[in-house]
Amino acid sequence: ESDSESKSQLQDIVRKQQERIKQLENDLLAANSGPRVSLELMTSANDLHQQKEGHPNTSTLLLIPGFGCNKTKTFNITLRNLRSIMQNTKSSSVDCLLGSYVARDLYFKEEYTRKIITEIEQMCYVTYAPGTQYADWERFVHPMLLKKAAYTYVMLLADDVELLKFDLDQAIQAMQRWGMDVISPSVHGSVHPTTRYDKRRDPASILNVTMIEAFTMVFNVRAWQCWWQVSDHIYLSRGWGSDLIFRDHCLKVHPDITLGVLPGMEAKHYGHCSGSVGNVKLRPNNRHKRSNIQWHEWR
């Protein structure tokens, strides 16, 4: 009888603990239910109307997630890209957000960098956050913020990629005409053949592909939400592998998401971050060093 009573008491304790855990799980889900909206809910009737009818009143957020690595290359590349986009884009209003790896005062220690960053600040909102990484800025652009601000597209542009032949208006028109969710120019220096420039391709065509290497991409809002959901600021902090995870997750879970590459538009990838700003050597932190190994483990 004593053993039976002890067993009953133990079962009662376990049952109460299980109920308590279940309640905590429900509370946690309720607390996180707001930001974690399903992909389907992000596509409104107005978005579909603009895609189908080619609505000209579009608004694009240009995101350059990381700047300040190599003053001899990326500074001039970014400046030229911004001049081109801001001067040549007519049909879509463009707001620019640029995240800097280094503090603002370092740019003003040299006349060369001071002039460049001053002109960039006139075209783009620059946030200075030393120690941040590429994926940190991706996570900053939450899909719900895009909906609240009425942005219809997000353009993701690396600071070491130069736009050689690119027209944002025409890219958005191609997205609307062909029903694409993500589009990219062909890229000189791309590793993946789907994105790599090939002069044999018809410049007037559009390629329907299953993967775009993350150099310069234009997303509609629902495609950006899926990209945002699979981005990882710990294991994929440099952004390496995000395009593969996007393909493996988003295109399988949501097969209606379509990706396109424009052979008639060209960009060039120059290489990885290196160099210094204001005599401060920019070396990757431990998280950067681990990112390549962690990407393979994560995958």
Side-chain angles (χ1 to χ4, degrees), residues 40-56:
E40 290 75 17
L41 295 180
M42 293 298 293
T43 303
S44 66
N46 186 49
D47 294 333
L48 295 176
H49 172 73
Q50 290 183 352
Q51 292 176 18
K52 293 180 179 179
E53 303 298 332
H55 198 284

Side-chain angles (χ1 to χ4, degrees), residues 200-244:
R200 295 171 296 180
R201 293 172 177 167
D202 181 5
S205 65
I206 183 171
L207 304 178
N208 193 344
V209 299
T210 57
M211 204 281 289
I212 295 177
E213 196 167 359
F215 292 127
T216 173
M217 307 165 70
V218 181
F219 302 79
N220 62 16
V221 175
R222 75 182 194 124
W224 175 257
Q225 184 187 12
C226 204
W227 180 274
W228 183 88
Q229 288 175 340
V230 299
S231 65
D232 191 318
H233 66 290
I234 300 298
Y235 289 96
L236 306 176
S237 61
R238 291 290 297 169
W240 301 335
S242 297
D243 41 20
L244 296 176

Side-chain angles (χ1 to χ4, degrees), residues 4 11 17 52 81 91 119 159 168 217 228 234 241 248 253 266 276 289 299:
S4 177
Q11 290 176 342
Q17 289 292 339
K52 293 180 179 179
N81 287 341
S91 299
E119 184 173 352
D159 67 334
L168 181 58
M217 307 165 70
W228 183 88
I234 300 298
D248 294 343
V253 178
E266 302 175 32
S276 61
K289 294 178 181 179
R299 189 183 183 190

Side-chain angles (χ1 to χ4, degrees), residues 68-71 75 102-103 106-110 113 275-282:
C69 283
N70 192 316
K71 64 184 179 183
F75 281 35
V102 298
L106 294 180
Y107 294 107
F108 285 80
K109 291 186 177 182
E110 299 179 19
T113 55
S276 61
V277 174
N279 297 322
V280 177
K281 189 67 177 178
L282 296 175

Side-chain angles (χ1 to χ4, degrees), residues 20-31:
R20 176 59 178 163
I21 292 174
K22 186 65 175 178
Q23 181 62 41
L24 290 173
E25 290 177 347
N26 292 335
D27 293 343
L28 183 61
L29 288 174

Side-chain angles (χ1 to χ4, degrees), residues 158-205:
D159 67 334
D160 61 350
V161 174
E162 183 170 9
L163 302 174
L164 303 177
K165 297 179 182 178
F166 182 80
D167 188 301
L168 181 58
D169 287 337
Q170 294 182 10
I172 291 176
Q173 290 172 7
M175 293 178 70
Q176 295 172 340
R177 179 180 180 185
W178 299 104
M180 293 290 177
D181 296 285
V182 187
I183 209 164
S184 167
S186 56
V187 180
H188 297 266
S190 174
V191 175
H192 298 279
T194 56
T195 317
R196 187 186 309 143
Y197 172 77
D198 188 343
K199 64 180 180 181
R200 295 171 296 180
R201 293 172 177 167
D202 181 5
S205 65

